[in-house]
């Protein structure tokens, strides 16, 4: 992990087109401003983790559903 120290109002640039700016620091909270192209997805880490877990659960449920269908003799036409 790269660790950088920035002050309020300072920024870092990622890949020439993503800019993170420190807007404020209050206690343990840091407010960041993000400028990025619209096609870049930006998530809070905990939200991304939840999305990935839900996708994994859905894939597992699909496996169970496919096995159940197979056990029942397949879909009727």
């Amino acid at each position: 992990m790269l660790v950088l120290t920035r002050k309020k109002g300072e920024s870092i640039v990622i890949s020439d087109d993503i800019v993170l700016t420190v807007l404020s620091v209050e206690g343990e909270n840091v407010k960041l401003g993000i400028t990025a192209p619209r096609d870049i997805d930006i998530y809070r880490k905990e939200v991304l983790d939840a999305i990935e877990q839900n996708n994994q659960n859905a894939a597992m449920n699909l496996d169970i559903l496919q096995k159940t269908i197979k056990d029942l003799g397949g879909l009727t036409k």
Side-chain angles (χ1 to χ4, degrees), residues 51-65:
I51 290 169
E52 290 174 346
Q53 184 63 49
N54 284 339
N55 288 343
Q56 188 175 23
N57 290 344
M60 283 192 265
N61 290 341
L62 180 59
D63 290 341
I64 291 170
L65 179 61

Side-chain angles (χ1 to χ4, degrees), residues 39-71:
D39 63 328
I40 300 292
D41 295 328
I42 300 171
Y43 299 99
R44 291 180 179 92
K45 176 71 166 90
E46 63 273 17
V47 171
L48 181 61
D49 290 344
I51 290 169
E52 290 174 346
Q53 184 63 49
N54 284 339
N55 288 343
Q56 188 175 23
N57 290 344
M60 283 192 265
N61 290 341
L62 180 59
D63 290 341
I64 291 170
L65 179 61
Q66 289 172 333
K67 183 182 181 311
T68 302
I69 290 171
K70 182 179 177 185
D71 291 346

